[in-house]
């Protein structure tokens, strides 16, 4: 299987990114390194990590190994990572980015995202969920615009080629666009058939911002046969029609509604399967079935941050 099978999406700053990426959240203990190595061999050229995931080192080692083997050059692979909420004070942003580059063992990243629009009190680099005596996460009130301005400087310094956001709602995105020098190239959001995000995708499209989709398969649980859009007979029937799995149908749907899905797996067979979605197209009738699962129910609610004025999920989208 070759990288040429997957198409590329143009970013608003002239760079491009492969239309699918490898998600790495909760991939640890060598799993992430093995998954990244295999994904590159399969043809993935887009890897998504984050400071919070504590696996940037594993991603970096895999990328370096594949460069050393001559499989890829650095320019061939698009590495996305993210600044965590305790580094939002503008004076910490460059430090956070340099720490990430050190973890990855690279001179630059292709995309540096603001992981969430809200921020935490800084209690040390590794204290990522600082809590008070009551056990509540300590929120701070840094304005994400101030964090963004510090991120813009990272582009000027050459530490990242591009910057973007994650989990920003329509109001936050609109405010950012009205106040930025450098436009975000991506908004990475939870997106799957139960939360298809069509209004937010439309807004992003209007501003030429690529939507990347995390939790694209809704965190399947075979024991509970959840989510229904992976286990239902209606979706299985579509999968049978194309000789694909239900996961492949869902990923194809997400591509066709205008997102770049980031399926996470450390299973070699699934990593291959998730990539093999570029040789068929869904019909309008298939879309209608998948659209019917849209309940708006989120998996990732981050309710500990609900008191923050920058909590993103208090409005419809």
């Amino acid at each position: 299987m070759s990288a040429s099978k997957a198409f590329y999406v143009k970013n608003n700053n002239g760079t491009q990114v492969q239309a699918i990426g490898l998600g790495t959240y909760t991939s640890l203990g060598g799993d992430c390194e093995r998954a990244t190595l295999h994904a590159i061999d399969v043809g993935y050229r887009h890897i998504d990590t984050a400071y919070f995931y504590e696996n940037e080192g594993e991603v970096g080692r895999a990328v370096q190994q594949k460069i050393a083997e001559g499989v890829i050059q650095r320019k061939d692979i698009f590495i996305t990572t993210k600044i965590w909420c305790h580094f939002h004070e503008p004076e910490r942003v460059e430090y956070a980015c340099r720490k990430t580059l050190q973890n990855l063992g690279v001179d630059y990243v292709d995309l540096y995202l603001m992981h969430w629009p809200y921020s935490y009190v800084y209690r040390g680099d590794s204290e990522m969920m600082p809590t008070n005596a009551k056990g509540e996460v300590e929120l701070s009130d840094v304005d994400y615009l101030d964090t963004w301005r510090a991120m813009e400087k990272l582009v000027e310094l050459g530490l990242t080629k591009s910057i973007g956001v994650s989990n920003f709602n329509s109001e936050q995105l609109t405010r950012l666009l009205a106040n930025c020098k450098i436009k975000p190239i991506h908004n990475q959001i939870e997106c799957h058939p139960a939360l298809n995000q069509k209004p937010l995708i439309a807004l992003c499209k209007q501003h030429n911002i690529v939507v990347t989709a995390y939790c694209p398969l809704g965190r399947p649980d075979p024991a509970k046969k959840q989510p229904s859009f992976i286990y239902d007979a209606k979706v299985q029937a579509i999968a049978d029609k194309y000789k694909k799995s239900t996961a492949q149908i869902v990923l194809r749907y997400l591509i066709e509604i205008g997102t770049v899905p980031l399926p996470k797996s450390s299973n070699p067979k699934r990593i291959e399967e998730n990539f093999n979605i570029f040789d068929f197209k869904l019909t309008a009738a298939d879309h209608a079935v998948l659209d019917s699962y849209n309940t708006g129910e989120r998996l990732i609610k981050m309710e500990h941050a609900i008191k923050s004025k920058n909590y993103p999920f208090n409005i419809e989208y």
Side-chain angles (χ1 to χ4, degrees):
M1 220 179 296
S2 74
S4 62
K5 283 198 70 174
F7 64 90
Y8 280 73
V9 174
K10 203 75 181 254
N11 297 314
N12 63 38
N13 63 352
T15 59
Q16 56 173 18
V17 67
Q18 199 176 45
I20 188 164
L22 179 74
T24 62
Y25 182 51
T26 70
S27 242
L28 289 163
D31 275 357
C32 180
E33 191 169 343
R34 285 187 291 274
T36 306
L37 287 167
H38 187 61
I40 292 170
D41 285 340
V42 167
Y44 286 77
R45 297 294 179 262
H46 174 196
I47 313 289
D48 181 85
T49 181
Y51 184 83
F52 181 70
Y53 302 170
E54 298 183 280
N55 59 14
E56 290 172 321
E58 291 192 42
V59 168
R61 282 193 295 278
V63 167
Q64 299 308 333
Q65 186 179 322
K66 288 297 158 190
I67 290 172
E69 288 173 11
V71 176
I72 51 166
Q73 295 178 306
R74 172 65 187 91
K75 67 179 173 58
D76 301 328
I77 191 128
F78 193 99
I79 302 172
T80 298
T81 190
K82 311 175 191 79
I83 188 167
W84 187 242
C85 310
H86 66 331
F87 285 137
H88 276 213
E89 281 96 349
E91 63 275 12
R92 292 192 206 282
V93 170
E94 186 185 329
Y95 167 80
C97 184
R98 288 187 185 277
K99 197 171 165 70
T100 270
L101 294 177
Q102 203 178 348
N103 290 345
L104 284 160
V106 295
D107 299 328
Y108 69 91
V109 285
D110 297 274
L111 176 57
Y112 200 45
L113 298 177
M114 196 184 312
H115 208 145
W116 291 92
Y118 54 76
S119 57
Y120 301 153
V121 170
Y122 178 79
R123 295 261 182 261
D125 292 0
S126 54
E127 198 144 336
M128 289 190 275
M129 301 290 276
T131 51
N132 62 19
K134 292 186 204 158
E136 301 161 333
V137 175
E138 292 183 289
L139 299 163
S140 69
D141 58 0
V142 180
D143 189 335
Y144 53 81
L145 291 183
D146 295 331
T147 310
W148 186 259
R149 287 182 190 114
M151 288 172 69
E152 289 176 329
K153 289 183 186 142
L154 304 176
V155 179
E156 291 156 22
L157 289 167
L159 302 180
T160 183
K161 299 268 186 206
S162 316
I163 47 177
V165 293
S166 181
N167 300 297
F168 270 50
N169 66 30
S170 60
E171 289 173 6
Q172 291 164 335
L173 204 54
T174 304
R175 180 171 175 250
L176 178 61
L177 288 166
N179 291 282
C180 63
K181 271 196 305 187
I182 300 176
K183 252 172 93 162
I185 68 161
H186 290 185
N187 185 16
Q188 185 177 129
I189 56 177
E190 179 183 340
C191 185
H192 42 73
L195 181 71
N196 71 28
Q197 298 274 20
K198 286 188 180 182
L200 193 49
I201 293 167
L203 177 73
C204 289
K205 195 173 180 184
Q206 195 187 319
H207 293 286
N208 204 7
I209 293 166
V210 171
V211 171
T212 47
Y214 72 78
C215 293
L217 302 174
R219 297 201 171 160
D221 183 337
K224 290 182 181 162
K225 294 266 185 278
Q226 287 293 330
S228 50
F229 59 76
I230 293 285
Y231 295 101
D232 270 10
K234 284 185 295 187
V235 186
Q236 188 60 56
I238 297 172
D240 293 345
K241 178 170 68 167
Y242 298 104
K243 297 187 170 53
K244 296 287 180 186
S245 68
T246 55
Q248 287 171 310
I249 297 301
V250 168
L251 293 172
R252 182 71 210 180
Y253 166 78
L254 292 173
I255 282 176
E256 291 183 11
I257 66 169
T259 79
V260 171
L262 304 169
K264 179 256 154 182
S265 183
S266 43
N267 174 317
K269 196 170 159 294
R270 293 240 173 81
I271 288 170
E272 289 167 36
E273 185 184 282
N274 292 343
F275 191 78
N276 191 15
I277 55 171
F278 297 96
D279 55 354
F280 72 105
K281 283 189 173 140
L282 299 172
T283 64
D286 299 334
H287 272 265
V289 170
L290 289 153
D291 284 344
S292 73
Y293 292 96
N294 184 42
T295 59
E297 183 61 31
R298 288 181 188 280
L299 293 169
I300 312 301
K301 297 177 182 159
M302 300 304 261
E303 283 164 329
H304 68 265
I306 212 156
K307 290 178 183 164
S308 168
K309 63 174 194 241
N310 295 321
Y311 182 73
F313 305 142
N314 286 327
I315 60 170
E316 192 193 337
Y317 71 92

